[in-house]
Amino acid sequence: EPRIDVDIHGVTVVVPEDDEVQPRELLKENAAWVVDQQRKYDTYRKQVPDRTFEAGERFPFLGDDRELVIEPLQKHEVDEDSIRLRESAVEQSSVKQVLENFYRSRAREYLTERIDHYAEQMGVEYENLELRNQRTRWGSCSTGGTISLNWRLIMAPPDVVDYLVVHELAHLTQQNHGREFWQLVGEHVPDYKTKAEWLEKNSAKLIFSEEDL
């Protein structure tokens, strides 16, 4: 099947070898859509945070920007207005790596708690949780019951995280995005549309570093 892919890196036309379709014609026919998509990604690119990974910089954690502090501690901590990293860990590695490790471990803790909470509420069982860092996907659910969630969700507001968790758990009983699927999501997150819109508009805020692009 010929297709046009547009992402933050540009436009790619994919045509099977034995296909009659001319890439130029395909682009011409879909020019308005391609331009529209490119505009969306240009806006997205402008929103990408320019991070230096230094103390004093602000990083989001569960929807709120917090100041990054590096100090002698027994273990990493997070409070209302700061993320505090253990100085000795940073010295052995780098701020960036230690902060990513911090996010990942907090994501596993927090997301497991939310998945368990909603799985019980929805009467479903999942096998295990996988943390990933897919560029453009926030979550997926395998037929074997493995829930995959992007660890960068730990930067998003709690209600957006809950929406994603419910979305993936709903796939355990509803494979597609049909009416029954959204009905089930709506039972547990009544205003799921606003959460989905938040993700659509604010996903650039959840970029950790340029490797995520």
Side-chain angles (χ1 to χ4, degrees), residues 8 40 43-49 51 60 62-65 135-136 138 152-157 159-161 164 193-208 212-213:
I8 202 157
K40 192 172 92 179
T43 310
Y44 183 68
R45 198 182 278 108
K46 284 182 192 122
Q47 292 170 343
V48 172
R51 307 218 189 271
L62 288 175
D64 290 325
D65 279 351
R135 274 200 301 229
T136 52
W138 295 113
R152 290 187 280 124
L153 277 173
I154 195 68
M155 299 182 183
D159 54 356
V160 172
V161 177
L164 246 306
K193 282 182 183 167
T194 58
K195 311 301 173 230
E197 277 167 19
W198 188 96
L199 262 180
E200 179 75 21
K201 285 187 187 139
N202 296 282
S203 55
K205 288 181 182 172
L206 310 181
I207 287 172
F208 180 68
D212 300 329
L213 297 177

Side-chain angles (χ1 to χ4, degrees), residues 5 7 9 15 19 30 36 46 58 75 106 108 120 123 128-129 134 143 161-162 171 175 183 193 200:
D5 288 343
D7 65 14
H9 301 286
V15 182
D19 210 290
N30 295 281
D36 195 43
K46 284 182 192 122
R58 298 186 77 76
K75 57 182 176 41
R106 290 303 172 110
R108 179 161 294 283
E120 191 181 338
N128 61 326
L129 166 67
Q134 291 153 301
T143 46
V161 177
D162 282 357
H171 279 311
Q175 293 305 306
Q183 222 166 340
K193 282 182 183 167
E200 179 75 21

